[in-house]
Amino acid sequence: MELLLMSNWTDVQSTPETYVFPPDKRPGKLIFPDCKDIPTIDLEKSEGLERAEVIEKIMKASQEFGFFQVINHGVSQGLMEDTMSVFQEFFGMPAEYKASFYSSGTNQSCRIYSSTLNYHKEDFHYWRDNFTQSCHPLEDHVQSWPEKPTRYREVTSTYCVEVRKFLLRILDLICEGLGLKLGYFEDELTKIQLLSVNHHIPCPDPSLTLGMPEHCDPNLISMLHQCAVPGLQLFKDGQWLGVEPVPDAFIVIAGLQLKVISNDLFTSPIHRVVTHTKDKRTTIGTFLIPSGDFQIEPAMALVDTGNPPVYGAFTYKEFFSTFTGKDCDAQSALGCFKKQLE
């Protein structure tokens, strides 16, 4: 198990064959244009006279991109730096320690794996290690988290609480923008919170492989905390565009459930990660996920005779099973729940 983790590898001189993607799937070129139009939201302004303007920007970004960056979000720079440092330390821990968290299943509250959970069934592997932990409510999960580095539980606990508050603030602003009752997205729609960290070691030839596949997020809403090393890409208008890290910013991504609840008003973006030749890259993702048995459908306040529901009702468990059964293809999965409009 230890050998599967890329963070244990040293002095990699060439890309192993099982990480080389077919020509139609690999990035190919190494230089991509940056997306210059991704909106940046100053969340601090939402507490004052510019609240309506901030909401309008979030709504527009959610419709056009499904994607925006947030500054002045309320999570301190010190906590962001400490959390990133803790995870970088964790991936640098001895191989046998990390191996104790290795799992190819989804039942563990805390698990590390390489590429994807289906590593042994894959034809091609993604250039990453992933560490995922459940983190809400904290008291149900924290005892399963790593005890090393020594600051791990203390720092990560604080971070998980603060980023949850941040995402709920964003969802409240979306409620206002959509005309939904405040708190619409709380409780069952955000019951599960996962923290997922991707770690990419330098790759000898980034043109041949990928750090993460192209995908849409199946959950409600996601947040990415990037390091300074670029790699995230957004697919828009028929091309891949780089997302340059903004210092101390969080990236917010609308998941497929938000697309459904908004009755297709919002988009959920296709994105992926490419690798880097010289630098390690660590990113921290937080995902708010509905409870499995909760019924999801377009919000009734957004549906009328002139704007009928695009989707029928389903549970998140049903959707996720369909999503994975369709090889995580968002359009195919959503198509299974679309209504036949008369």
Side-chain angles (χ1 to χ4, degrees):
M1 296 299 184
E2 295 175 11
L3 294 177
L4 293 181
L5 297 178
M6 302 188 77
S7 52
N8 300 335
W9 296 5
T10 58
D11 196 28
V12 183
Q13 297 296 318
S14 62
T15 306
E17 185 176 347
T18 54
Y19 289 82
V20 177
F21 278 70
D24 62 328
K25 298 291 184 182
R26 66 182 67 159
K29 61 182 181 179
L30 297 180
I31 299 176
F32 293 84
D34 287 334
C35 187
K36 304 293 185 183
D37 302 323
I38 294 176
T40 298
I41 308 295
D42 186 342
L43 194 58
E44 195 171 61
K45 293 182 178 180
S46 69
E47 302 303 317
L49 297 176
E50 298 178 70
R51 184 177 183 86
E53 183 180 341
V54 170
I55 292 172
E56 184 180 352
K57 287 182 178 180
I58 289 175
M59 293 295 291
K60 185 177 180 181
S62 299
Q63 293 174 60
E64 294 184 4
F65 291 89
F67 200 100
F68 52 90
Q69 306 219 48
V70 183
I71 59 173
N72 295 325
H73 39 63
V75 181
S76 72
Q77 180 183 359
L79 180 58
M80 292 177 69
E81 292 174 351
D82 284 348
T83 307
M84 184 64 73
S85 175
V86 159
F87 281 112
Q88 290 170 343
E89 286 180 52
F90 173 78
F91 281 105
M93 297 291 287
E96 60 274 12
Y97 179 69
K98 288 180 292 187
S100 67
F101 297 97
Y102 189 91
S103 174
S104 59
T106 59
N107 294 327
Q108 285 185 239
S109 179
C110 189
R111 63 185 182 274
I112 192 171
Y113 57 87
S114 191
S115 186
T116 74
L117 290 172
N118 294 315
Y119 183 93
H120 294 289
K121 298 179 181 179
E122 295 171 349
D123 293 325
F124 308 97
H125 304 312
Y126 295 97
W127 195 269
R128 69 158 181 171
D129 285 344
N130 176 274
F131 187 68
T132 295
Q133 63 184 38
S134 299
C135 48
H136 181 76
L138 279 175
E139 58 270 20
D140 290 351
H141 301 290
V142 69
Q143 294 304 315
S144 68
W145 295 359
E147 296 183 36
K148 300 175 184 178
T150 54
R151 304 180 301 149
Y152 187 100
R153 292 185 179 180
E154 176 187 357
V155 170
T156 308
S157 292
T158 304
Y159 182 85
C160 288
V161 170
E162 292 302 308
V163 296
R164 182 177 181 85
K165 289 179 184 176
F166 159 70
L167 282 172
L168 291 177
R169 283 179 69 190
I170 294 293
L171 288 170
D172 277 347
L173 294 170
I174 288 174
C175 277
E176 289 189 49
L178 290 174
L180 303 178
K181 180 180 177 181
L182 197 63
Y184 182 94
F185 294 105
E186 294 181 14
D187 301 323
E188 295 301 314
L189 278 170
T190 53
K191 187 172 185 179
I192 299 168
Q193 180 178 345
L194 289 183
L195 188 147
S196 181
V197 186
N198 286 312
H199 183 73
H200 311 273
I201 64 172
C203 177
D205 190 346
S207 71
L208 300 177
T209 191
L210 285 169
M212 278 191 70
E214 60 180 80
H215 66 286
C216 297
D217 291 350
N219 53 297
L220 181 73
I221 194 167
S222 311
M223 186 212 79
L224 293 182
H225 171 182
Q226 295 202 87
C227 65
V229 180
L232 178 64
Q233 294 185 336
L234 173 70
F235 190 73
K236 193 172 189 302
D237 300 328
Q239 64 177 330
W240 287 104
L241 302 170
V243 180
E244 192 69 23
V246 173
D248 304 323
F250 288 146
I251 292 173
V252 173
I253 302 175
L256 293 173
Q257 306 314 304
L258 199 51
K259 177 180 173 68
V260 169
I261 291 168
S262 73
N263 204 33
D264 260 359
L265 180 65
F266 289 174
T267 188
S268 184
I270 299 172
H271 51 289
R272 71 179 185 184
V273 172
V274 294
T275 58
H276 199 273
T277 53
K278 296 180 180 179
D279 297 316
K280 295 179 181 178
R281 182 176 184 272
T282 304
T283 58
I284 307 169
T286 298
F287 303 88
L288 297 188
I289 304 169
S291 60
D293 295 325
F294 186 71
Q295 183 169 284
I296 297 164
E297 60 187 329
M300 294 304 296
L302 304 178
V303 172
D304 55 35
T305 54
N307 189 36
V310 178
Y311 304 94
F314 54 83
T315 66
Y316 186 72
K317 184 186 298 182
E318 290 171 335
F319 179 84
F320 193 74
S321 176
T322 303
F323 181 73
T324 54
K326 297 287 185 180
D327 294 325
C328 301
D329 181 89
Q331 293 308 311
S332 296
L334 288 172
C336 294
F337 299 99
K338 280 194 171 183
K339 282 178 163 288
Q340 297 296 321
L341 300 181
E342 297 180 356

Short mmCIF file of all heavy atoms in Angstrom, two decimals, residues 51-61 63:
data_model
loop_
_atom_site.label_atom_id
_atom_site.label_comp_id
_atom_site.label_asym_id
_atom_site.label_seq_id
_atom_site.Cartn_x
_atom_site.Cartn_y
_atom_site.Cartn_z
N ARG A 51 -24.50 45.40 -0.38
CA ARG A 51 -24.96 44.01 -0.31
C ARG A 51 -25.70 43.60 -1.60
O ARG A 51 -25.43 42.53 -2.15
CB ARG A 51 -25.88 43.82 0.89
CG ARG A 51 -26.34 42.37 1.10
CD ARG A 51 -27.19 42.24 2.35
NE ARG A 51 -27.58 40.87 2.63
CZ ARG A 51 -26.83 40.00 3.33
NH1 ARG A 51 -25.66 40.39 3.80
NH2 ARG A 51 -27.25 38.78 3.55
N ALA A 52 -26.60 44.42 -2.07
CA ALA A 52 -27.37 44.08 -3.27
C ALA A 52 -26.44 43.92 -4.48
O ALA A 52 -26.65 43.02 -5.31
CB ALA A 52 -28.41 45.17 -3.55
N GLU A 53 -25.41 44.74 -4.56
CA GLU A 53 -24.46 44.64 -5.67
C GLU A 53 -23.66 43.35 -5.58
O GLU A 53 -23.40 42.69 -6.60
CB GLU A 53 -23.52 45.85 -5.65
CG GLU A 53 -22.53 45.88 -6.80
CD GLU A 53 -21.61 47.08 -6.74
OE1 GLU A 53 -21.95 48.06 -6.05
OE2 GLU A 53 -20.54 47.03 -7.39
N VAL A 54 -23.27 42.97 -4.36
CA VAL A 54 -22.54 41.71 -4.17
C VAL A 54 -23.41 40.53 -4.58
O VAL A 54 -22.95 39.61 -5.28
CB VAL A 54 -22.09 41.57 -2.70
CG1 VAL A 54 -21.55 40.16 -2.43
CG2 VAL A 54 -21.02 42.60 -2.37
N ILE A 55 -24.67 40.54 -4.16
CA ILE A 55 -25.59 39.45 -4.52
C ILE A 55 -25.75 39.37 -6.04
O ILE A 55 -25.74 38.28 -6.63
CB ILE A 55 -26.95 39.65 -3.84
CG1 ILE A 55 -26.80 39.44 -2.32
CG2 ILE A 55 -27.99 38.68 -4.40
CD1 ILE A 55 -28.04 39.78 -1.52
N GLU A 56 -25.88 40.51 -6.67
CA GLU A 56 -26.02 40.53 -8.13
C GLU A 56 -24.80 39.92 -8.81
O GLU A 56 -24.91 39.17 -9.78
CB GLU A 56 -26.22 41.97 -8.60
CG GLU A 56 -26.47 42.09 -10.10
CD GLU A 56 -26.66 43.53 -10.55
OE1 GLU A 56 -26.76 44.42 -9.68
OE2 GLU A 56 -26.71 43.76 -11.78
N LYS A 57 -23.60 40.22 -8.30
CA LYS A 57 -22.37 39.66 -8.87
C LYS A 57 -22.32 38.14 -8.69
O LYS A 57 -21.89 37.41 -9.59
CB LYS A 57 -21.15 40.31 -8.22
CG LYS A 57 -20.89 41.74 -8.65
CD LYS A 57 -19.63 42.30 -7.99
CE LYS A 57 -19.34 43.71 -8.46
NZ LYS A 57 -18.11 44.26 -7.81
N ILE A 58 -22.74 37.67 -7.51
CA ILE A 58 -22.75 36.22 -7.25
C ILE A 58 -23.73 35.53 -8.19
O ILE A 58 -23.44 34.47 -8.75
CB ILE A 58 -23.09 35.95 -5.78
CG1 ILE A 58 -21.93 36.37 -4.88
CG2 ILE A 58 -23.42 34.47 -5.56
CD1 ILE A 58 -22.23 36.25 -3.39
N MET A 59 -24.90 36.12 -8.35
CA MET A 59 -25.90 35.53 -9.24
C MET A 59 -25.40 35.46 -10.68
O MET A 59 -25.53 34.44 -11.35
CB MET A 59 -27.19 36.35 -9.16
CG MET A 59 -27.90 36.27 -7.82
SD MET A 59 -28.51 34.60 -7.45
CE MET A 59 -29.81 34.48 -8.69
N LYS A 60 -24.81 36.56 -11.13
CA LYS A 60 -24.30 36.58 -12.51
C LYS A 60 -23.18 35.57 -12.70
O LYS A 60 -23.14 34.83 -13.70
CB LYS A 60 -23.81 37.99 -12.85
CG LYS A 60 -23.37 38.15 -14.30
CD LYS A 60 -22.95 39.59 -14.61
CE LYS A 60 -22.51 39.72 -16.06
NZ LYS A 60 -22.06 41.10 -16.39
N ALA A 61 -22.27 35.50 -11.73
CA ALA A 61 -21.16 34.54 -11.82
C ALA A 61 -21.67 33.11 -11.80
O ALA A 61 -21.15 32.24 -12.52
CB ALA A 61 -20.19 34.77 -10.66
N GLN A 63 -24.49 32.03 -12.88
CA GLN A 63 -25.15 31.73 -14.14
C GLN A 63 -24.16 31.57 -15.29
O GLN A 63 -24.30 30.67 -16.12
CB GLN A 63 -26.15 32.83 -14.47
CG GLN A 63 -27.33 32.90 -13.51
CD GLN A 63 -28.22 34.10 -13.77
OE1 GLN A 63 -28.76 34.25 -14.87
NE2 GLN A 63 -28.35 34.98 -12.79
#
